[in-house]
Amino acid sequence: MNAVEAFDAVDLIRTKRDRGELSTDQIDWLVDAYTRGYVADEQMSAMTMAIFLNGMTRREIRDMTMAMIASGERMDFSGLGKPTTDKHSTGGVGDKITLPLMPLVACFGVAVPQLSGRGLGHTGGTLDKLESIPGWRAELSNDEMFAQLRDVGGVICAAGTGLAPADKKLYALRDITGTVEAIPLIASSIMSKKIAEGTGALVLDVKFGSGAFLQDIDRSRELARTMVELGQDAGVATSALLTNMNVPLGLTIGNANEVRESVEVLAGGGPADIRELTIALAREMLELAGVADADVEAALDDGRAMDTWRASIRAQGGDPDAALPVAREQHVVTADRDGVLVRQEALPFGIAAWRLGAGRARKEDPVQHAAGIDLHVKPGDVVRSGQPLFTLHADEPARFARALDAVAGAWEIGDAGSAVQDGGPLIAERIGR
Ligand code: URA
């Protein structure tokens, strides 16, 4: 005989539909019953749409997060004997910050367990970028991860299937039911995975602007506040930076080219925006982990962060000195007049890189590691007629036309002295303690 279920999914859906509040026991049951297949996808779809439309209280969001954590394993790094700190970004175009950030923070003796994902759609995945390094391996066992944190100090690897399995199932459902952009669902999804990962401190890079997941800064702020509260309630020292995603980050969008740019930052160079954001997030992560006044700029400039990067790549089977893949075909777009680049919209460039093969449309698709875009100028730069503005890289030349369609109208050259796209400051606000 089947066990008697504690609640009826239809009652819970009606409660949320009519703007009521679900109890802790109801949320625990809902998440558990959905994960084991008792609550059907169509019932959970109705529930996620009711949440999308009517929201959740802070208590309900916390209960949802805790129920998703309880659906799987919770990692514990207390045996390492050093503080742990991590960063999560809501994703952006050209956002490769995790790559230089992990070794930069780890070289100060704080462990960085960075469990990452693969990309879907126009925002790239950290693992896809690192997999362009010959031999590098994303899948590690918990023991291998622990050993790397102890010996090297930091690790970027694939999140195992054991972390918050309820979120995996729910996220896939939200993706096909138009309910991804609900703040209670985004916050509980992200934070359940990060809290289950077992980090002691967490810095959230919450993007706003045309290339961000939530474009409006007020909604990004609300998401950031919700996640900071969830982290703090769960005993994780959490803060957030609200950062601008109107313009692509850095000068590369893709996979191998983003690794190349990250290595430039680790060598003390690289584009100013990537360096600025890496330094700001590193300071924040170290402070939350109890390391005050760390000279993070010096660690980029004197090679300490690079040493940790090289050790971490080797520990995962990669060769830090190996040549990165190069695409078979290039297409250069040049300026058709003298002037100033006044606009360069992040989202269309992200979509173009995806169409070139740098991203995937379905989660089982492979990515082409050498595909992507190198930007040669940024808004505000003076350009001369005939000067290269950006280069498209692809293995198949047939991909160029659709990528060029994506960026048509997304960049503009104005007369000298014209107003330049107002990206605003890169780091707009800090939300935290
Ligand atoms: N990333 C996640 O992990 N979950 C969401 O809901 C949205 C973005």
Side-chain angles (χ1 to χ4, degrees), residues 88 120 219 373 393:
H88 177 84
L120 192 60
R219 300 246 304 142
I373 303 177
H393 301 265

Side-chain angles (χ1 to χ4, degrees), residues 102-337:
M102 180 280 281
L104 176 58
V105 173
C107 78
F108 284 92
V110 173
V112 186
Q114 176 84 58
L115 300 187
S116 300
R118 294 192 165 74
L120 192 60
H122 76 276
T123 56
T126 297
L127 301 182
D128 295 322
K129 300 181 207 301
L130 283 164
E131 280 172 343
S132 53
I133 301 173
W136 188 85
R137 187 165 62 92
E139 320 290 334
L140 299 186
S141 67
N142 286 359
D143 286 349
E144 286 174 317
M145 194 178 159
F146 195 90
Q148 189 168 328
L149 285 171
R150 185 192 56 214
D151 302 340
V152 177
V155 61
I156 303 173
C157 64
T161 51
L163 284 187
D167 172 64
K168 223 157 255 136
K169 193 169 173 192
L170 193 57
Y171 191 78
L173 183 76
R174 289 165 53 210
D175 206 24
I176 55 166
T177 55
T179 52
V180 166
E181 296 87 351
I183 286 176
L185 298 176
I186 302 170
S188 54
S189 165
I190 292 173
M191 293 305 289
S192 62
K193 287 172 285 199
K194 286 291 159 184
I195 297 167
E197 173 195 279
T199 186
L202 176 66
V203 177
L204 300 158
D205 178 3
V206 182
K207 310 279 189 200
F208 63 91
S210 69
F213 178 52
L214 296 179
Q215 306 194 336
D216 175 50
I217 189 166
D218 294 332
R219 300 246 304 142
S220 300
R221 186 183 299 111
E222 188 188 336
L223 175 64
R225 287 206 174 117
T226 308
M227 293 197 291
V228 167
E229 284 173 359
L230 283 173
Q232 291 176 346
D233 286 351
V236 178
T238 311
S239 69
L241 300 183
L242 287 191
T243 70
N244 189 315
M245 199 58 255
N246 283 307
V247 175
L249 264 175
L251 292 167
T252 56
I253 310 163
N255 293 298
N257 58 353
E258 293 201 31
V259 171
R260 194 188 67 231
E261 187 169 85
S262 302
V263 172
E264 285 167 18
V265 173
L266 286 162
D273 55 351
I274 299 290
R275 183 174 160 102
E276 180 187 346
L277 191 50
T278 304
I279 287 171
L281 288 165
R283 286 207 181 106
E284 204 56 41
M285 287 169 75
L286 286 164
E287 260 184 57
L288 290 184
V291 181
D293 304 323
D295 190 350
V296 290
E297 298 195 37
L300 281 180
D301 297 335
D302 66 16
R304 272 177 290 155
M306 180 71 97
D307 289 344
T308 302
W309 160 263
R310 293 171 62 81
S312 78
I313 298 300
R314 271 197 222 99
Q316 287 172 253
D319 176 358
D321 297 313
L324 294 168
V326 176
R328 280 195 285 274
E329 305 288 338
Q330 276 73 35
H331 178 96
V332 182
V333 174
T334 55
D336 54 1
R337 51 171 292 200

Side-chain angles (χ1 to χ4, degrees), residues 371-424:
I373 303 177
D374 290 341
L375 305 169
H376 306 302
V377 288
K378 298 277 273 188
D381 287 349
V382 171
V383 297
R384 295 243 156 254
S385 179
Q387 177 182 337
L389 298 177
F390 54 93
T391 302
L392 309 181
H393 301 265
D395 286 334
E396 300 119 7
R399 290 180 178 265
F400 289 141
R402 288 196 67 230
L404 289 167
D405 280 352
V407 292
W411 55 273
E412 189 184 337
I413 298 173
D415 294 332
S418 348
V420 174
Q421 173 182 11
D422 180 20

Side-chain angles (χ1 to χ4, degrees), residues 35-50:
T35 310
R36 62 188 154 82
Y38 180 78
V39 169
D41 277 344
E42 48 272 36
Q43 293 179 308
M44 202 58 171
S45 307
M47 177 60 88
T48 54
M49 186 57 83

